[in-house]
């Protein structure tokens, strides 16, 4: 149902080349991992790859249609070590020091800068002291609503960061 309404995603389900960077990053570290948190998964590509590295993957998703798509996909592939959770990023439903790894790619860019530090501190709380976090943001300056296909009803919020600004932000959180 989701793919029928959103035809542009068909290619992403088949072509996962971009998502394979996850495998390179976590296997390159050469550590044994148990639990991973994946934020704003989308179609399920990243969680599927993470499920081959980690014993348990928890993915936080906000969109009900994407949750349905992921459930179908993971059930069909018998990926029983992936749990999909609908949650607010400011109130993560996990105990302290729970995750060995956290993958946040193209999610923080939709959070207003005034809320990002609190969000990052929540990730730090659930990450084990020796854990690894990957954060991808959009480079630039400021914040803005960006229209898709020249349609003001189809706008998304974006926060942009310079390298220096983001480095200061994560360091101020204790990373």
């Amino acid at each position: 149902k989701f793919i029928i309404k959103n035809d542009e995603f068909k290619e992403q389900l088949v072509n996962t080349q971009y998502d394979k960077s996850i495998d390179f990053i976590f296997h390159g570290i050469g550590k044994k991992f148990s639990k991973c948190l994946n934020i704003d998964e989308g179609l399920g590509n990243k969680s599927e790859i993470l499920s081959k590295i980690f014993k348990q993957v928890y993915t936080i998703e906000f969109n009900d249609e994407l949750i349905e798509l992921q459930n179908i996909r993971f059930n069909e592939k018998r990926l029983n070590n992936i749990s999909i959770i609908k949650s607010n990023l400011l109130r993560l439903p996990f105990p302290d020091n729970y995750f060995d790894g956290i993958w946040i790619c193209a999610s923080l860019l939709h959070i207003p800068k005034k809320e990002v530090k609190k969000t990052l501190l929540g990730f730090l709380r659930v990450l084990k002291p020796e854990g690894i976090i990957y954060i991808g943001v959009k480079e630039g300056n400021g914040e803005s609503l960006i229209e898709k296909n020249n349609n003001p009803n189809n706008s998304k919020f974006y926060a942009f960061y310079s390298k220096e600004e983001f480095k200061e932000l994560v360091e101020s959180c204790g990373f």
Side-chain angles (χ1 to χ4, degrees), residues 1-164:
K1 185 165 65 169
F2 175 82
I3 295 299
I4 292 168
K5 289 195 281 185
N6 299 281
D7 191 47
E8 71 269 19
F9 292 110
K10 282 183 185 174
E11 175 65 22
Q12 291 179 32
L13 277 172
V14 177
N15 182 2
T16 60
Q17 203 58 29
Y18 166 77
D19 297 317
K20 290 185 179 172
S21 62
I22 295 169
D23 187 54
F24 175 77
I25 289 168
F26 283 112
H27 273 121
I29 294 163
K31 244 182 110 171
K32 298 229 183 231
F33 295 106
S34 180
K35 291 184 280 285
C36 180
L37 178 62
N38 181 20
I39 304 299
D40 196 14
E41 166 51 47
L43 301 176
N45 296 346
K46 292 180 274 310
S47 287
E48 185 174 336
I49 294 167
L50 289 165
S51 75
K52 294 175 175 111
I53 301 168
F54 292 87
K55 291 178 185 169
Q56 182 65 44
V57 175
Y58 296 85
T59 181
I60 291 182
E61 181 55 63
F62 314 106
N63 180 307
D64 290 328
E65 288 180 323
L66 287 172
I67 290 171
E68 181 182 348
L69 172 78
Q70 290 174 35
N71 274 319
I72 292 167
R73 178 181 184 168
F74 300 150
N75 286 333
E76 285 177 356
K77 293 187 174 203
R78 292 182 170 82
L79 297 172
N80 300 323
N81 65 331
I82 301 174
S83 300
I84 305 164
I85 298 165
K86 189 170 184 177
S87 175
N88 182 326
L89 293 182
L90 294 173
R91 284 181 242 104
L92 295 172
F94 305 102
D96 294 358
N97 304 314
Y98 192 69
F99 293 103
D100 300 292
I102 300 177
W103 183 267
I104 311 164
C105 188
S107 300
L108 284 185
L109 59 96
H110 298 300
I111 298 174
K113 289 185 176 187
K114 66 182 180 188
E115 295 177 13
V116 168
K117 186 167 185 172
K118 186 175 179 183
T119 304
L120 288 172
L121 289 170
F123 294 134
L124 184 62
R125 179 186 65 78
V126 300
L127 184 66
K128 290 180 180 178
E130 68 282 359
I132 296 164
I133 188 167
Y134 173 89
I135 305 170
V137 294
K138 217 162 186 42
E139 192 169 358
N141 294 303
E143 301 173 303
S144 85
L145 274 175
I146 298 179
E147 292 179 12
K148 186 176 178 183
N149 301 327
N150 295 321
N151 180 353
N153 294 326
N154 194 6
S155 298
K156 273 195 168 181
F157 174 85
Y158 288 89
F160 303 94
Y161 295 90
S162 68
K163 289 178 185 177
E164 297 78 25

